Amino acid sequence: MKDKMERFNQDDELRLAAYNRELNIYAHEMELEESYQNGKAEGKKEGREEGKKEGIEEGILLEKKNLTLQLFKSKFPNEDDNFLSNLEAKEYDIIFKMLLENQSLEKIKDAIKR
């Protein structure tokens, strides 16, 4: 082994080739690391943007539900409002409009069943 090391140390071309190989390996590893870090940062950014979008949509839905329930309770104080749970935003819009137009409870329930 000692003999091989001495020959390696004396051969400039072989040492240069080994050095270049190590540099290329290191450069490739750094490119992979940079790519990984960029992908990770991009994923976090997309996650935040998607989370904001979902949060805004949930907030709008909750607000429409609350307003619709308030109006429903003011128009029909003795009626059960459980049928107004778990609706979509557009359904709350329809019901809210119907409540403003003083539609009957039966018509409102029929609108949800469609």
Side-chain angles (χ1 to χ4, degrees), residues 46-71:
E46 287 178 13
R48 282 192 299 273
E49 289 172 358
E50 187 64 30
K52 284 181 186 176
K53 182 180 175 183
E54 288 176 5
I56 290 170
E57 290 172 358
E58 287 178 19
I60 291 170
L61 176 64
L62 184 60
E63 185 64 20
K64 287 181 180 193
K65 178 180 180 180
N66 288 337
L67 289 172
T68 302
L69 286 173
Q70 286 177 3
L71 187 56

Side-chain angles (χ1 to χ4, degrees), residues 3-65:
D3 193 35
K4 285 183 181 181
M5 287 299 292
E6 284 181 23
R7 279 187 279 149
F8 175 78
N9 287 333
Q10 291 174 359
D11 191 341
D12 290 338
E13 287 183 26
L14 187 58
R15 280 192 329 222
L16 184 58
Y19 179 73
N20 284 335
R21 181 175 183 271
E22 289 297 315
L23 281 178
N24 285 333
I25 290 171
Y26 180 75
H28 180 69
E29 288 174 354
M30 290 298 104
E31 286 174 6
L32 290 175
E33 178 65 23
E34 182 180 359
S35 178
Y36 169 77
Q37 292 299 333
N38 288 341
K40 189 174 169 183
E42 188 175 322
K44 284 182 180 180
K45 180 181 174 187
E46 287 178 13
R48 282 192 299 273
E49 289 172 358
E50 187 64 30
K52 284 181 186 176
K53 182 180 175 183
E54 288 176 5
I56 290 170
E57 290 172 358
E58 287 178 19
I60 291 170
L61 176 64
L62 184 60
E63 185 64 20
K64 287 181 180 193
K65 178 180 180 180

Side-chain angles (χ1 to χ4, degrees), residues 96-113:
F96 189 81
K97 184 177 178 188
M98 292 176 80
L99 288 167
L100 288 175
E101 295 171 350
N102 293 318
Q103 298 283 336
S104 70
L105 183 59
E106 291 76 30
K107 285 186 179 181
I108 292 171
K109 287 182 178 181
D110 286 343
I112 293 173
K113 291 177 184 176

